[in-house]
């Protein structure tokens, strides 16, 4: 029997503690008010413009010969603007004076004899002109003040609205980062359970010696489901605002926040339905995992009736899983972008989690085998797991390209907006995950010999897991935080917490049952599973030389 070592247990708890502390720090660092958000925005803009000014100062004007000072440039521009206004005003007055002089000269030419009358008329005319000039200046000043006040009010209103929008995005970032890690580990654990059920339905012989590894990994489902249940309850109580359609007034035609597009989907997007469905998913998944684990351990006595019962339960679970997994993808991920939809989305999320699940099975198997706790596992079993990693990496790429290409080619605004946002604000992670999830694993694992070399598979596995975490990150973050994203304390700490929870749940469960399912009728087939090339690789190489 495997013993859960104290060092590994301490390591798991240390990760969870670091994760909790980091998550708490990220929540405390988020702005608590709109004014605080404005201060953060001002600092960001100051830092941005400061860096921009420094770059210009280094480059300078005229081919980089004259240093550029942002403040001097601003003051000069302001002075020139004021001077321009003064010149314009003086010009108007000069025109009036020129007109008066022209009238005066014309009067002198036409009536030289009437000097006294002329002087009286000039006096009255000059007084009228001065009054006109004074009135014009007052009106101009008043009009300018009103226009400036109106413009300032409009700008302030726009700035306040923009700051409020950014405030909500900043406030969403800590919970969004935690939610990404929560769904990532929940999805991986669930797909390990689905793959395990599929192996039972197919009566697969090669994978029987891996059953206890898969059962141990799926123990994490109970733990993450509790966290997910808390998240569902808090979301239903409007403690979090990750789903735009849950905002007040979305379904009220009299509200300024009314959304007719989302209102057309209210038969599905409604809070009671979302909450009930979410709890239903967790109950179905956890119920099957509890029953299959219990019956699997009981089956060690060789009772074939239990084997048949496990088969029937697995068939029912896979049918329910295919429905609930797609529905959960719509509710928990696609619902963050309620105006957008994709008929491929359920399959796409399935592929993401399935590749990650197979990678986790392989990595845990390699670790336990290296410690001598899986005596019946050989290179051929590792080779088969690596083949699944390779094959479903290609499958994920096919679905990614199919979804992207069809939507982009159709060029329908209600669909392309999803990818436009990701291209504009998430270009590096959006395109980078294709390298991590397809190009790198395919190049590494396409060679058959590499599929049975543990350290090569481990390296490929790490890249795959990182790539699919980024994939899920890009699915969720644009709809919750917009451009206020990053990989900081909140993202790292959330991942560390669930990684520690996963390590504890998996190895604690593996220590509670024999590593070999002795009652399974296909155990002998799995024990003797070998590829000829792998089994005789050393002999063939010696003979060749």
């Amino acid at each position: 029997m495997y013993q859960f070592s104290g060092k590994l247990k301490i390591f798991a708890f240390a990760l969870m503690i670091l994760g909790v502390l980091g998550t708490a720090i990220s929540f405390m660092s988020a702005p608590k008010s709109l004014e605080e958000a404005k201060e953060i925005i001002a600092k960001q803009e100051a830092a941005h413009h400061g860096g921009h000014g420094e770059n210009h100062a280094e480059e300078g004007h005229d081919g980089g010969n004259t240093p550029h000072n942002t403040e001097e440039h601003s003051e000069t521009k302001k002075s020139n603007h004021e001077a321009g206004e003064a010149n314009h005003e003086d010009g108007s007055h000069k025109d009036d004076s020129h007109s008066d002089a022209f009238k005066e000269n014309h009067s002198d030419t036409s009536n030289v004899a009437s000097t006294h009358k002329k002087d009286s008329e000039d006096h009255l005319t000059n007084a009228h002109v001065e009054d006109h000039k004074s009135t014009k200046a007052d009106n101009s000043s008043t009009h300018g003040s009103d226009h400036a006040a109106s413009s300032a009010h409009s700008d302030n209103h726009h700035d306040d609205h923009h700051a409020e929008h950014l405030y909500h995005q900043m406030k969403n970032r800590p919970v969004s980062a935690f939610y990404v890690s929560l769904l990532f580990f929940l999805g991986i654990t669930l797909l390990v359970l689905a793959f395990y059920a599929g192996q039972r339905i197919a009566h697969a012989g090669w994978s029987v010696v891996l059953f206890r590894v898969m059962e141990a990994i799926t123990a994490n489902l109970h733990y993450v489901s509790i966290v997910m249940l808390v998240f569902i309850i808090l979301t239903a109580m409007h403690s979090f605002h990750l789903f735009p359609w849950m905002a007040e007034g979305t379904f009220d035609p009299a509200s300024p926040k009314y959304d007719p597009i989302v209102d057309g989907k209210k038969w599905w997007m409604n809070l009671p339905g979302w909450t009930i469905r979410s709890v239903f998913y967790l109950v179905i998944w956890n119920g099957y995992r509890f029953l299959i684990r219990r019956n699997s351990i009981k089956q060690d006595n060789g009772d074939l009736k239990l084997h048949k019962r496990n088969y029937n339960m697995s068939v029912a679970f896979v049918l329910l899983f295919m429905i609930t997994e797609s529905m959960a993808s719509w509710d928990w991920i696609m619902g963050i972008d309620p105006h957008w939809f994709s008929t491929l989305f359920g399959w796409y999320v399935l592929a993401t989690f399935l590749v990650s699940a197979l990678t986790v099975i392989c990595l845990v198997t390699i670790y336990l085998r290296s410690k001598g706790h899986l005596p019946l596992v050989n290179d051929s079993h590792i080779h088969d797991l690596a083949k699944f990693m390779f094959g479903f990496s290609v499958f994920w790429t096919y679905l990614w390209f199919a979804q992207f290409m069809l939507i982009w080619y159709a060029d329908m605004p209600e669909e392309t907006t999803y990818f436009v946002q990701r291209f504009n604000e998430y270009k590096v992670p959006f395109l980078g995950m294709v390298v991590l999830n397809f190009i790198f694993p395919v190049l590494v694992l396409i060679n058959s010999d590499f599929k049975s070399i543990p350290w090569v598979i481990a390296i490929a596995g790490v890249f795959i897991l990182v790539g699919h975490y980024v994939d899920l990150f890009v699915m969720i973050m644009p709809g919750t935080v917009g451009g206020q994203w990053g990989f900081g304390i909140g993202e790292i700490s959330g991942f560390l917490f669930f990684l520690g929870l996963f390590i504890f749940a998996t190895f604690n469960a593996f220590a509670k049952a024999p590593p070999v399912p002795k009652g399974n009728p296909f155990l002998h087939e799995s024990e003797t599973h070998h590829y000829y090339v792998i089994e005789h690789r050393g002999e063939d190489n010696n003979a060749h030389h």
Side-chain angles (χ1 to χ4, degrees), residues 15-29:
L15 289 177
M16 285 189 276
I17 293 171
L18 286 174
V20 170
L21 292 176
T23 301
I25 292 173
S26 68
F27 272 93
M28 290 188 292
S29 301

Side-chain angles (χ1 to χ4, degrees), residues 460-530:
V462 169
F463 275 88
I464 289 173
L465 292 177
V466 171
H468 285 287
Y469 172 85
V470 174
D471 185 15
L472 186 62
F473 183 90
V474 173
M475 290 186 212
I476 293 173
M477 286 299 202
T480 59
V481 304
Q484 303 298 314
W485 65 277
F487 290 101
I489 295 176
E491 290 76 15
I492 295 172
S493 59
F495 189 89
L496 291 180
F497 172 78
F498 285 103
L499 177 61
L501 187 64
F502 171 83
I503 292 173
F504 173 79
T506 299
F507 294 99
N508 185 57
F510 189 76
K512 292 183 177 180
V516 178
K518 298 179 181 178
N520 193 292
F522 300 103
L523 177 61
H524 180 70
E525 180 181 346
S526 183
E527 183 181 359
T528 57
H529 175 64
H530 288 288

Side-chain angles (χ1 to χ4, degrees), residues 216-262:
I217 293 173
T218 56
N220 187 51
L221 183 64
H222 299 320
Y223 296 90
V224 291
S225 293
I226 293 173
V227 181
M228 186 65 189
L229 184 62
V230 173
F231 174 83
I232 292 168
I233 294 172
L234 292 176
T235 301
M237 295 171 62
H238 299 285
S239 299
F240 306 133
H241 301 90
L242 299 187
F243 299 89
W245 60 269
M246 292 185 184
E248 185 178 357
T250 302
F251 303 101
D252 183 8
S255 172
K257 296 182 179 180
Y258 174 68
D259 192 327
I261 297 177
V262 177

